[in-house]
Amino acid sequence: MEGVPTRPGFFSCAPIALFFPRDNEIQSWRHVLDRPIELEGLGVKGVPGNDGKFTSRDQLVTVLTSVIYTCSVGHASVNFKRYDEYAFPMNHPSLLKRAPPTDKSGKTERDILDALYPPKAQLSMILVSKILSERTTRPLGDFEVDYVYDPPEV
C-alpha cells in the first residue's frame, strides 16, 4: 500500500492504513494516553503527536510497536525466568518471617534460617514460580482465532 511505512522493526502496517486517520477511536485512545492521571488519563509522557492526536501513521505505528513490544517481549523477559530466579530460596526468598536486614552487620547462618519459612512453605512458592515461568501461550502473531474482520483487509 502506498504511504504505509515498511521500515524494519515495525510490525505489518497494512491494517493501520485501513483505519488511520479516519478512525476516531484511535484518536480518542491517543488523547487518553497523555492525559494526566488526575483527569482519568494514563499520563504517558512523550507520546508522538500534536494536541492529543496522531498526525501521521508513523506516529501510530511507533506507539503500537512500543505497546506490543512491552506487553509481549518485555513481559516475557521478566515473567518466564521467575523459576530461574526464585527456585533457590536463599537467593530470592518469597517469604520471610521477619523484616529483611537493614544494615551491613554480619549475620549468622542461624539468623538467616530463622528468617526463612519452613521448607514446605518454601516449596509452595517454588511451585508457584515454576508454574508462572511455564510458556502456556502461543508465540506472538500465532492466533487461534482471528478477531479482526474487515472485508478490505480479508
Side-chain angles (χ1 to χ4, degrees), residues 36-91:
I37 293 172
E38 300 79 31
L39 299 175
E40 299 183 4
L42 296 175
V44 179
K45 304 281 186 206
V47 180
N50 297 318
D51 299 323
K53 293 187 177 208
F54 293 116
T55 56
S56 72
R57 286 185 186 134
D58 280 352
Q59 292 171 347
L60 177 58
V61 168
T62 298
V63 171
L64 290 175
T65 301
S66 297
V67 169
I68 290 170
Y69 181 86
T70 301
C71 294
S72 58
V73 177
H75 178 263
S77 69
V78 298
N79 194 55
F80 293 144
K81 66 179 185 171
R82 284 186 188 184
Y83 182 73
D84 299 335
E85 296 283 330
Y86 304 139
F88 181 59
M90 302 297 193
N91 182 41

Side-chain angles (χ1 to χ4, degrees), residues 108-121:
T108 66
E109 185 176 333
R110 177 58 29 207
D111 293 333
I112 294 169
L113 292 174
D114 287 344
L116 295 173
Y117 273 83
K120 192 171 185 177

Side-chain angles (χ1 to χ4, degrees), residues 105-145:
S105 65
K107 302 292 182 226
T108 66
E109 185 176 333
R110 177 58 29 207
D111 293 333
I112 294 169
L113 292 174
D114 287 344
L116 295 173
Y117 273 83
K120 192 171 185 177
Q122 293 292 339
L123 181 59
S124 295
M125 295 311 296
I126 291 169
L127 291 174
V128 167
S129 68
K130 177 73 172 162
I131 291 167
L132 291 174
S133 294
E134 290 177 0
R135 185 174 182 181
T136 58
T137 58
R138 292 173 177 241
L140 185 62
D142 182 11
F143 305 109
E144 291 179 26
V145 177

